[in-house]
Amino acid sequence: MIYVRIFHGSIAKPFSSSSKEALDNSLWGHVAVQIDDRVYGFYFADRKNIHLFPQPHNKSSVFQNQSLAEWEALVAHKKETVISIPVNEAEKQRMLQFYERNLIAPEWDYSFWGERCASNCFRLLADHGKVDKGSRFLKAFFPHQLLLTLRREAKKRGYAILTKAGDPRRFWI
């Protein structure tokens, strides 16, 4: 079993004492994939230098490998949806090889009109037949769009979905 972990985007409610820093002020959210007790994600390497279009020779991207405890600390006050997707051992090993290879040298640049966390996760799932293939721009341009895609796939394929509430001082997307 693998788990697609999506923390939802949010904005502070008016007149709340919600700390932007404590919740990373993340409007869009984030997507990562848990395999065993590790959580893998595709991130930008430099928040101030996110490319508009992919720059394959000047990549600003990094894959991260966090422990489950590190991830859970990151999302402690965030709304999070976890989709459980069955995989066999061979599929799991191919996914681990994908992440191990990309931890060393990312294959893609993190860019607005290119690869980001949601589209990268969608690519991995589609390549392994866990979601129907299609346009990443139409199915996984940002985390909430991937969440909607995965909810449709869960109905068709019987994937389990669990959502935990986030800090009530924020509006969650």
Side-chain angles (χ1 to χ4, degrees), residues 100-124:
E100 288 170 6
R101 182 175 66 247
N102 279 283
L103 285 166
I104 296 167
E107 296 176 46
W108 304 276
D109 182 29
Y110 189 102
S111 61
F112 184 78
W113 289 109
E115 198 83 8
R116 291 184 294 172
C117 63
S119 58
N120 189 265
C121 176
F122 179 80
R123 175 194 300 271
L124 179 73

Tab-separated table of all heavy atoms in Angstrom, residues 100-124:
chain	number	residue	atom	x	y	z
A	100	GLU	N	14.503	7.243	-5.482
A	100	GLU	CA	15.945	7.189	-5.201
A	100	GLU	C	16.735	7.865	-6.316
A	100	GLU	O	17.667	8.621	-6.056
A	100	GLU	CB	16.388	5.736	-5.003
A	100	GLU	CG	15.898	5.150	-3.686
A	100	GLU	CD	16.102	3.649	-3.569
A	100	GLU	OE1	16.743	3.030	-4.463
A	100	GLU	OE2	15.609	3.074	-2.582
A	101	ARG	N	16.348	7.607	-7.565
A	101	ARG	CA	17.013	8.224	-8.713
A	101	ARG	C	16.835	9.746	-8.678
A	101	ARG	O	17.777	10.504	-8.913
A	101	ARG	CB	16.406	7.614	-9.987
A	101	ARG	CG	16.990	8.079	-11.277
A	101	ARG	CD	16.417	7.323	-12.489
A	101	ARG	NE	14.993	7.601	-12.699
A	101	ARG	CZ	14.008	6.710	-12.560
A	101	ARG	NH1	14.280	5.470	-12.209
A	101	ARG	NH2	12.753	7.057	-12.789
A	102	ASN	N	15.641	10.214	-8.363
A	102	ASN	CA	15.356	11.649	-8.381
A	102	ASN	C	15.856	12.370	-7.140
A	102	ASN	O	16.039	13.586	-7.177
A	102	ASN	CB	13.864	11.893	-8.604
A	102	ASN	CG	13.508	11.785	-10.069
A	102	ASN	OD1	13.776	12.697	-10.833
A	102	ASN	ND2	12.951	10.645	-10.461
A	103	LEU	N	16.077	11.670	-6.055
A	103	LEU	CA	16.701	12.290	-4.885
A	103	LEU	C	18.130	12.721	-5.216
A	103	LEU	O	18.609	13.746	-4.747
A	103	LEU	CB	16.706	11.329	-3.693
A	103	LEU	CG	15.365	11.142	-2.990
A	103	LEU	CD1	15.417	9.931	-2.067
A	103	LEU	CD2	14.981	12.389	-2.217
A	104	ILE	N	18.791	11.936	-6.051
A	104	ILE	CA	20.170	12.230	-6.454
A	104	ILE	C	20.203	13.364	-7.478
A	104	ILE	O	20.970	14.317	-7.348
A	104	ILE	CB	20.852	10.965	-7.015
A	104	ILE	CG1	20.957	9.913	-5.912
A	104	ILE	CG2	22.217	11.287	-7.620
A	104	ILE	CD1	21.323	8.526	-6.405
A	105	ALA	N	19.354	13.253	-8.510
A	105	ALA	CA	19.330	14.255	-9.578
A	105	ALA	C	17.909	14.343	-10.135
A	105	ALA	O	17.494	13.456	-10.877
A	105	ALA	CB	20.313	13.884	-10.689
A	106	PRO	N	17.170	15.384	-9.773
A	106	PRO	CA	15.797	15.521	-10.275
A	106	PRO	C	15.743	15.537	-11.803
A	106	PRO	O	16.559	16.195	-12.460
A	106	PRO	CB	15.325	16.861	-9.711
A	106	PRO	CG	16.198	17.111	-8.533
A	106	PRO	CD	17.514	16.483	-8.876
A	107	GLU	N	14.769	14.802	-12.349
A	107	GLU	CA	14.602	14.734	-13.800
A	107	GLU	C	13.946	15.985	-14.363
A	107	GLU	O	14.074	16.266	-15.550
A	107	GLU	CB	13.746	13.510	-14.176
A	107	GLU	CG	14.398	12.184	-13.824
A	107	GLU	CD	13.506	10.994	-14.118
A	107	GLU	OE1	12.902	10.941	-15.215
A	107	GLU	OE2	13.411	10.108	-13.250
A	108	TRP	N	13.218	16.757	-13.527
A	108	TRP	CA	12.444	17.907	-13.993
A	108	TRP	C	12.802	19.153	-13.218
A	108	TRP	O	13.222	19.101	-12.076
A	108	TRP	CB	10.938	17.652	-13.835
A	108	TRP	CG	10.495	16.414	-14.521
A	108	TRP	CD1	10.155	16.269	-15.851
A	108	TRP	CD2	10.368	15.123	-13.952
A	108	TRP	NE1	9.830	14.957	-16.113
A	108	TRP	CE2	9.949	14.233	-14.957
A	108	TRP	CE3	10.566	14.605	-12.672
A	108	TRP	CZ2	9.727	12.889	-14.735
A	108	TRP	CZ3	10.351	13.259	-12.457
A	108	TRP	CH2	9.932	12.428	-13.480
A	109	ASP	N	12.537	20.263	-13.867
A	109	ASP	CA	12.622	21.556	-13.211
A	109	ASP	C	11.268	21.840	-12.578
A	109	ASP	O	10.226	21.523	-13.159
A	109	ASP	CB	12.947	22.639	-14.245
A	109	ASP	CG	13.097	24.020	-13.641
A	109	ASP	OD1	13.495	24.118	-12.460
A	109	ASP	OD2	12.817	25.007	-14.353
A	110	TYR	N	11.251	22.425	-11.395
A	110	TYR	CA	10.004	22.829	-10.754
A	110	TYR	C	9.616	24.167	-11.372
A	110	TYR	O	10.324	25.159	-11.222
A	110	TYR	CB	10.210	22.976	-9.242
A	110	TYR	CG	8.936	23.187	-8.459
A	110	TYR	CD1	8.366	22.134	-7.758
A	110	TYR	CD2	8.309	24.419	-8.420
A	110	TYR	CE1	7.202	22.310	-7.028
A	110	TYR	CE2	7.145	24.610	-7.699
A	110	TYR	CZ	6.596	23.558	-7.008
A	110	TYR	OH	5.433	23.719	-6.295
A	111	SER	N	8.505	24.195	-12.119
A	111	SER	CA	8.104	25.429	-12.783
A	111	SER	C	6.585	25.528	-12.850
A	111	SER	O	5.879	24.509	-12.825
A	111	SER	CB	8.688	25.494	-14.196
A	111	SER	OG	8.203	24.420	-14.973
A	112	PHE	N	6.099	26.751	-12.939
A	112	PHE	CA	4.655	26.988	-12.932
A	112	PHE	C	3.980	26.265	-14.088
A	112	PHE	O	2.968	25.598	-13.905
A	112	PHE	CB	4.357	28.493	-12.988
A	112	PHE	CG	2.894	28.788	-12.891
A	112	PHE	CD1	2.250	28.743	-11.663
A	112	PHE	CD2	2.152	29.091	-14.020
A	112	PHE	CE1	0.892	28.989	-11.558
A	112	PHE	CE2	0.795	29.352	-13.926
A	112	PHE	CZ	0.158	29.294	-12.698
A	113	TRP	N	4.483	26.391	-15.298
A	113	TRP	CA	3.890	25.733	-16.465
A	113	TRP	C	4.588	24.430	-16.794
A	113	TRP	O	4.585	23.988	-17.937
A	113	TRP	CB	3.915	26.668	-17.676
A	113	TRP	CG	2.953	27.789	-17.547
A	113	TRP	CD1	3.262	29.093	-17.342
A	113	TRP	CD2	1.521	27.715	-17.574
A	113	TRP	NE1	2.104	29.836	-17.238
A	113	TRP	CE2	1.024	29.017	-17.384
A	113	TRP	CE3	0.605	26.673	-17.728
A	113	TRP	CZ2	-0.329	29.307	-17.352
A	113	TRP	CZ3	-0.744	26.972	-17.701
A	113	TRP	CH2	-1.203	28.273	-17.523
A	114	GLY	N	5.174	23.796	-15.811
A	114	GLY	CA	5.842	22.518	-16.029
A	114	GLY	C	5.469	21.537	-14.941
A	114	GLY	O	4.298	21.308	-14.664
A	115	GLU	N	6.437	21.013	-14.295
A	115	GLU	CA	6.246	19.982	-13.270
A	115	GLU	C	6.201	20.624	-11.890
A	115	GLU	O	7.023	21.464	-11.559
A	115	GLU	CB	7.427	19.002	-13.341
A	115	GLU	CG	7.181	17.704	-12.672
A	115	GLU	CD	6.438	16.709	-13.539
A	115	GLU	OE1	6.220	16.952	-14.734
A	115	GLU	OE2	6.072	15.657	-12.997
A	116	ARG	N	5.210	20.218	-11.098
A	116	ARG	CA	5.101	20.625	-9.697
A	116	ARG	C	4.699	19.404	-8.893
A	116	ARG	O	4.615	18.298	-9.417
A	116	ARG	CB	4.098	21.774	-9.547
A	116	ARG	CG	4.629	23.055	-10.164
A	116	ARG	CD	3.725	24.213	-9.965
A	116	ARG	NE	2.480	23.988	-10.700
A	116	ARG	CZ	1.420	24.754	-10.598
A	116	ARG	NH1	1.426	25.775	-9.783
A	116	ARG	NH2	0.343	24.512	-11.301
A	117	CYS	N	4.425	19.586	-7.610
A	117	CYS	CA	4.181	18.439	-6.730
A	117	CYS	C	3.003	17.585	-7.187
A	117	CYS	O	3.092	16.354	-7.239
A	117	CYS	CB	3.996	18.885	-5.280
A	117	CYS	SG	2.570	19.958	-4.980
A	118	ALA	N	1.879	18.209	-7.545
A	118	ALA	CA	0.681	17.452	-7.929
A	118	ALA	C	0.882	16.742	-9.261
A	118	ALA	O	0.552	15.561	-9.396
A	118	ALA	CB	-0.530	18.377	-7.995
A	119	SER	N	1.427	17.447	-10.236
A	119	SER	CA	1.618	16.821	-11.548
A	119	SER	C	2.656	15.710	-11.491
A	119	SER	O	2.534	14.694	-12.187
A	119	SER	CB	1.999	17.862	-12.600
A	119	SER	OG	3.176	18.543	-12.244
A	120	ASN	N	3.666	15.873	-10.649
A	120	ASN	CA	4.675	14.825	-10.512
A	120	ASN	C	4.069	13.568	-9.890
A	120	ASN	O	4.341	12.455	-10.338
A	120	ASN	CB	5.853	15.332	-9.690
A	120	ASN	CG	6.994	14.358	-9.718
A	120	ASN	OD1	7.125	13.533	-8.829
A	120	ASN	ND2	7.817	14.446	-10.750
A	121	CYS	N	3.229	13.733	-8.886
A	121	CYS	CA	2.545	12.593	-8.265
A	121	CYS	C	1.613	11.931	-9.278
A	121	CYS	O	1.571	10.700	-9.387
A	121	CYS	CB	1.769	13.056	-7.038
A	121	CYS	SG	0.806	11.750	-6.260
A	122	PHE	N	0.871	12.736	-10.039
A	122	PHE	CA	-0.030	12.201	-11.054
A	122	PHE	C	0.750	11.389	-12.071
A	122	PHE	O	0.320	10.305	-12.486
A	122	PHE	CB	-0.800	13.334	-11.743
A	122	PHE	CG	-1.736	12.842	-12.809
A	122	PHE	CD1	-2.976	12.330	-12.473
A	122	PHE	CD2	-1.370	12.897	-14.142
A	122	PHE	CE1	-3.841	11.865	-13.455
A	122	PHE	CE2	-2.220	12.434	-15.134
A	122	PHE	CZ	-3.462	11.922	-14.795
A	123	ARG	N	1.907	11.903	-12.506
A	123	ARG	CA	2.752	11.182	-13.469
A	123	ARG	C	3.114	9.793	-12.925
A	123	ARG	O	3.003	8.793	-13.620
A	123	ARG	CB	4.019	11.979	-13.748
A	123	ARG	CG	5.031	11.260	-14.634
A	123	ARG	CD	6.395	11.942	-14.604
A	123	ARG	NE	6.375	13.305	-15.064
A	123	ARG	CZ	6.538	13.672	-16.337
A	123	ARG	NH1	6.707	12.760	-17.257
A	123	ARG	NH2	6.537	14.943	-16.664
A	124	LEU	N	3.550	9.751	-11.675
A	124	LEU	CA	3.947	8.479	-11.059
A	124	LEU	C	2.767	7.503	-11.014
A	124	LEU	O	2.900	6.328	-11.378
A	124	LEU	CB	4.480	8.722	-9.647
A	124	LEU	CG	4.905	7.484	-8.868
A	124	LEU	CD1	6.208	6.930	-9.421
A	124	LEU	CD2	5.052	7.799	-7.395
